[in-house]
């Protein structure tokens, strides 16, 4: 039996109230990780912008850039 299956079985053996508490805890942790990822991406974009590696334009401008050799 793999560890994921063991975790699932352990959670299923908990009382419903404890399962709900665990679920809320996991949802908060997942949201925190997503927030951290967004913050990291924003930081990277700001760095690229500061270096002058970001271009502004319309979708047509972007598509035109793709068509150039």
């Amino acid at each position: 039996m793999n560890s994921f299956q063991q975790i699932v079985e352990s959670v299923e053996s908990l009382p419903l109230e404890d399962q709900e508490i665990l679920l809320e805890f996991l949802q908060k942790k997942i949201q925190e990780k997503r927030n951290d990822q967004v913050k990291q991406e924003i930081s990277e974009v700001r760095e690229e912008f500061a270096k002058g590696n970001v271009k502004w334009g319309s979708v047509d401008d972007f598509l035109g850039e793709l068509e150039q050799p």
Side-chain angles (χ1 to χ4, degrees):
M1 180 182 320
N2 66 36
S3 59
F4 182 79
Q5 184 61 34
Q6 290 173 333
I7 293 169
V8 170
E9 289 180 8
S10 294
V11 170
E12 287 178 338
S13 70
L14 293 172
L16 182 59
E17 184 177 330
D18 290 347
Q19 289 181 23
E20 290 171 338
I21 291 168
L22 179 60
L23 177 61
E24 288 175 20
F25 171 79
L26 291 173
Q27 287 172 330
K28 286 179 184 178
K29 287 295 185 182
I30 290 169
Q31 189 59 50
E32 287 173 7
K33 285 187 175 189
R34 285 184 181 144
N35 290 345
D36 290 344
Q37 286 176 338
V38 168
K39 289 175 186 175
Q40 179 63 35
E41 291 172 6
I42 289 170
S43 176
E44 291 171 7
V45 168
R46 285 182 175 161
E47 285 179 32
E48 291 298 313
F49 181 78
K51 293 177 185 176
N53 295 335
V54 176
K55 294 182 180 180
W56 298 99
S58 67
V59 172
D60 289 334
D61 295 335
F62 174 72
L63 294 174
E65 289 278 331
L66 290 177
E67 292 175 358
Q68 293 180 6

